[in-house]
Amino acid sequence: MNADITLLNLNMLYLRYYESLDRERHVPLGPLYLTRAIEDADLTVDFRDYQFNEYDDPFSLANAVDYLRESSALIGISVMANLLPFAILLARRIKEVFPEKTVLLGGVGPKSVERVILQRFQEIDLIAYGEGERTGPQIVACLANGGDLSRCPGIYYRDGNTVVKTAHPGRLGSLSGQPYPAYQKTDLSRYSAIGMMTSRGCPFPCTFCSVAPVWDFNPVLRTAEDIVAEMRYVLEQSDTDLFLFQDEYFLASPERAKELCRVIAGSGLKVRWKAFGRVNLTDRESMEMMARSGCLELRFGIESGSNEILSRIRKGFTVEEATAVISSAAAIFPGVDAFFIWGFPFESLEHFYQTVFLMNSFRMMGVRVLPSLLCYLPQTAVYNELDKTRLQFSNETIPEYMVTGHESFHGTAITIRPEHRHIYEFIIANPDIFPGFFQYDIANNVRPKLDVLTEFGFYGGPVNGETAESCGAHSAATRAR
């Protein structure tokens, strides 16, 4: 392969639940933005989206290496935290089969554990951080030409036995006017819907959140005109009219939402879309405008039914405010989702029962309630404040955010297949790198709460006719009320 880099998207939604398999494909915006930036610098990218693999077992390392046959001398792997263990093991196998290749790790998966990964695993040559549009072209050019890595911003690499972090590359000042993702590198018709970014980063200090720290709590936005221009471009390239706005700061303010709705309405585009909302940045007028402009579904992170917990995790609103907004949203949109997190180490059973009460109240409104077990990612404040000696690995449950596809779900329990057991042994051996797979005080903090949620029908099978769905990204599936 003569390309300057083979870029592998390893971000996948792959969920085995009872006898069903959810394998919904999402447009990998990050790797495609990176691809566009590299090619705009007159370098070449061999882009491969592993979501399109057709292997019976996509988590076989042999199959993943086969997917990389005839790849470039430089292989870049984009990965999130749930598949970080698989990515590192894949890099090890790549080095065994192709020892001459250089392996670059990127994406949000390695955030805050870059140094320890490079210290522990020689199969990873370097790790990129920051915005790929600012760093990618220079890194690829440097490696292609044998340049000085110390002069490339935005990477961690080894210099002998020392791990070096180069200068921070800085942030883009605005997302407006940035080149579109390299859509031409993939087949948009093979995705369930089209994801689109309206912002990058979030300013809110929620202690459990892994997204805001990645971007240093500094959001960068796009104008409504720039967003709608890309929507028009995508409509001309694909046969879908459904857009998924996945960024957490989509509702930066009610006025920003209203402006986007006005621009969509004025464009004449006939589109449907889904987005994330935030309780303290949403009002009824903005939600009504969103519905009129094609919004089918709004998702809210509520997290807890206890004001004490909401204050401690720095959520920025109260239970009473959340109830008022959710009640209004349920009357406006065909679909409303409410996320809740349970299993905080400081969550008493009294706090937890307040959460269960609110979950039931929302469900009675017709809201889809999506609970998830707290996930301890290394860049989060809740993890850094934790007594880590009480983290435990369970062979029976796993935080929803860390579902990998290696395991099969049967009600509240998971089954780890024998051929994938080695991946979990690798996780257990490296808890400081993969803390998201571990749970706090299973016997006293997790199991009793899971039993209650199961009793109320939030776990254990389809609820109210709803099938299992990811607790993170929007699904392309639509539902009627």
Side-chain angles (χ1 to χ4, degrees), residues 59-108:
F59 301 107
S60 157
L61 292 173
N63 287 339
V65 170
D66 178 70
Y67 196 79
L68 289 168
R69 62 185 180 277
E70 300 181 3
S71 54
S72 305
L74 170 61
I75 297 177
I77 302 175
S78 177
V79 67
M80 298 180 71
N82 64 325
L83 288 179
L84 180 61
F86 182 70
I88 295 174
L89 292 173
L90 173 58
R92 179 176 298 173
R93 184 63 61 89
I94 290 171
K95 288 289 192 175
E96 291 171 356
V97 179
F98 307 110
E100 74 284 359
K101 292 187 185 289
T102 298
V103 177
L104 165 67
L105 200 60
V108 300

Side-chain angles (χ1 to χ4, degrees), residues 392-449:
Q392 301 166 299
F393 183 85
S394 171
N395 288 314
E396 299 178 355
T397 60
I398 186 173
E400 287 84 345
Y401 190 82
M402 300 304 285
V403 170
T404 65
H406 306 103
E407 63 287 298
S408 298
F409 280 81
H410 302 275
T412 62
I414 62 171
T415 300
I416 300 173
R417 298 184 176 189
E419 63 268 28
H420 299 149
R421 171 58 59 180
H422 69 103
I423 296 174
Y424 290 91
E425 291 172 351
F426 182 59
I427 291 168
I428 293 168
N430 296 280
D432 53 336
I433 298 179
F434 313 121
F437 290 92
F438 292 75
Q439 301 162 39
Y440 181 86
D441 191 4
I442 293 173
N444 299 302
N445 183 54
V446 175
R447 176 51 61 183
K449 296 173 183 177

Side-chain angles (χ1 to χ4, degrees), residues 108-305:
V108 300
K111 173 65 178 177
S112 297
V113 290
E114 298 95 342
R115 288 186 182 278
V116 66
I117 288 174
L118 288 174
Q119 289 166 349
R120 201 168 297 172
F121 305 116
Q122 296 296 308
E123 48 268 33
I124 305 295
D125 294 296
L126 61 164
I127 300 174
Y129 74 95
E131 290 175 300
E133 297 96 328
R134 295 185 64 88
T135 61
Q138 190 170 347
I139 295 170
V140 174
C142 181
L143 291 169
N145 300 317
D148 182 359
L149 287 176
S150 68
R151 303 183 65 179
C152 287
I155 58 171
Y156 290 80
Y157 71 98
R158 279 186 299 272
D159 183 3
N161 294 323
T162 302
V163 174
V164 178
K165 178 184 179 182
T166 63
H168 194 287
R171 294 292 307 280
L172 294 170
S174 171
L175 297 181
S176 295
Q178 291 296 318
Y180 299 154
Y183 292 124
Q184 74 279 4
K185 287 287 189 176
T186 191
D187 182 356
L188 292 179
S189 68
R190 299 182 69 185
Y191 297 99
S192 304
I194 305 299
M196 189 164 291
M197 183 174 62
T198 74
S199 66
R200 184 182 286 165
C202 177
F204 295 104
C206 306
T207 63
F208 60 88
C209 181
S210 61
V211 175
V214 169
W215 305 114
D216 302 318
F217 302 93
N218 177 28
V220 178
L221 308 179
R222 294 176 75 180
T223 65
E225 291 78 8
D226 197 62
I227 296 165
V228 173
E230 185 177 352
M231 294 173 77
R232 184 182 298 278
Y233 173 82
V234 169
L235 286 170
E236 294 170 351
Q237 309 298 317
S238 70
D239 57 1
T240 182
D241 65 347
L242 179 60
F243 292 88
L244 310 179
F245 297 122
Q246 306 283 23
D247 41 301
E248 290 76 8
Y249 202 46
F250 171 81
L251 275 178
S253 70
E255 285 307 315
R256 182 171 187 260
K258 294 172 190 175
E259 176 62 16
L260 176 60
C261 295
R262 284 190 287 266
V263 175
I264 291 175
S267 71
L269 297 179
K270 303 299 181 184
V271 294
R272 301 171 300 149
W273 51 281
K274 302 182 180 185
F276 282 86
R278 185 176 172 86
V279 165
N280 57 326
L281 295 177
T282 308
D283 60 26
R284 189 176 187 92
E285 181 184 1
S286 62
M287 289 192 289
E288 289 175 344
M289 289 184 66
M290 291 166 68
R292 288 195 298 271
S293 67
C295 183
L296 303 176
E297 180 179 282
L298 203 57
R299 286 186 154 187
F300 293 90
I302 306 301
E303 324 311 357
S304 178

